[in-house]
Amino acid sequence: MKNVSIAIDGPSGAGKSTLARALAKEKGYLYIDTGAIYRTVGCYVRRCGVDPADEAAVLRLLPQAKVELRRGEDETQRMFLNGEDVSEEIRLPEVSKYASVVSAHPEVRAYLLEMQRELARNHSVVMDGRDIGTVVLPDADVKIFLTASVEVRAKRRYLELSERGTPEALDQVRSEIVQRDWDDSHRAAAPLRLAEGAVAVDTTELNFQESLSTLSRVVEGALK
């Protein structure tokens, strides 16, 4: 039986990870948060005290960073760095900033590309990120571009950080999202954009269940 690949792209705070994880559970597929892979690399670069903007220095570190994706007891994705579970640490705002800079380097993206494709070859997957439908899995069976207004995304991110115990001011969160949008859409390597054949889904006016139902309908329609 052929493995199925579902690619979900979109800007920061659009709900990609939460919805992709729920969709994968609904379909019985493996959920892959590619952003977590870059966050893990960013975490290592930060720990090593290396400037994330120095591509040559970052590339020298990559062979030393063993990045693993494992399924936790509750079926959630856990990220391991050289055998250590860093799933919580990689969500810290300071690590996010490192991940954003590191992920803009073309050679870093190329280094991690095969790891992501290998997972899709061996499993039916729901993979989310910013260049899945355009670069990582251009032949994905289903491509979705998930978005929402800046204001809604900022509020979601603000609540997420507060619940995690790492609160930031709403204005700061909004400013960071606007900057991240610019960085992601204007970088030279795999900029964030709507993939050819992707279905755009705007969740600004939708709650979680409505958003998930919309994604499920898109998938069912594409796989008929």
Side-chain angles (χ1 to χ4, degrees), residues 13 20 55 141 147 188 191 195 209:
E55 184 173 11
D141 299 288
T147 190
Q209 195 55 52

Side-chain angles (χ1 to χ4, degrees), residues 94-164:
E94 51 268 35
V95 175
S96 296
K97 292 171 184 174
Y98 267 74
S100 182
V101 176
V102 165
S103 66
H105 298 314
E107 290 193 51
V108 173
R109 301 194 75 85
Y111 186 91
L112 297 173
L113 183 61
E114 183 54 31
M115 173 186 178
Q116 297 167 64
R117 287 179 173 168
E118 181 71 16
L119 289 165
R121 280 195 289 267
N122 295 329
H123 307 272
S124 285
V125 300
V126 177
M127 188 179 292
D128 81 79
R130 287 173 173 76
D131 65 343
I132 309 306
T134 54
V135 176
V136 181
L137 302 176
D139 298 319
D141 299 288
V142 187
K143 297 179 187 178
I144 296 170
F145 190 87
L146 196 65
T147 190
S149 70
V150 169
E151 196 61 37
V152 166
R153 289 188 284 130
K155 287 178 180 176
R156 290 173 181 169
R157 178 67 174 158
Y158 169 79
L159 291 173
E160 178 189 348
L161 291 171
S162 296
E163 290 169 1
R164 194 180 292 152

Side-chain angles (χ1 to χ4, degrees), residues 74-89:
D74 56 356
E75 291 299 303
T76 59
Q77 176 178 301
R78 307 295 296 179
M79 295 306 302
F80 285 75
L81 173 60
N82 294 333
E84 178 188 351
D85 189 338
V86 293
S87 304
E88 275 70 48
E89 183 177 347

Side-chain angles (χ1 to χ4, degrees), residues 153-185:
R153 289 188 284 130
K155 287 178 180 176
R156 290 173 181 169
R157 178 67 174 158
Y158 169 79
L159 291 173
E160 178 189 348
L161 291 171
S162 296
E163 290 169 1
R164 194 180 292 152
T166 55
E168 289 186 12
L170 180 57
D171 285 346
Q172 180 181 346
V173 174
R174 186 188 300 107
S175 176
E176 289 173 352
I177 282 182
V178 170
Q179 184 63 51
R180 185 72 185 270
D181 285 354
W182 172 265
D183 292 344
D184 289 340
S185 59

Side-chain angles (χ1 to χ4, degrees), residues 3-57:
N3 286 328
V4 173
S5 55
I6 300 173
I8 300 180
D9 291 309
S12 178
K16 296 188 303 294
S17 297
T18 307
L19 287 165
R21 187 183 300 112
L23 183 64
K25 184 176 182 180
E26 184 180 279
K27 300 294 181 185
Y29 296 171
L30 177 65
Y31 164 62
I32 302 170
D33 172 7
T34 61
I37 297 172
Y38 287 102
R39 284 173 176 272
T40 303
V41 172
C43 178
Y44 187 64
V45 172
R46 179 172 178 264
R47 285 182 174 188
C48 292
V50 168
D51 179 359
D54 186 340
E55 184 173 11

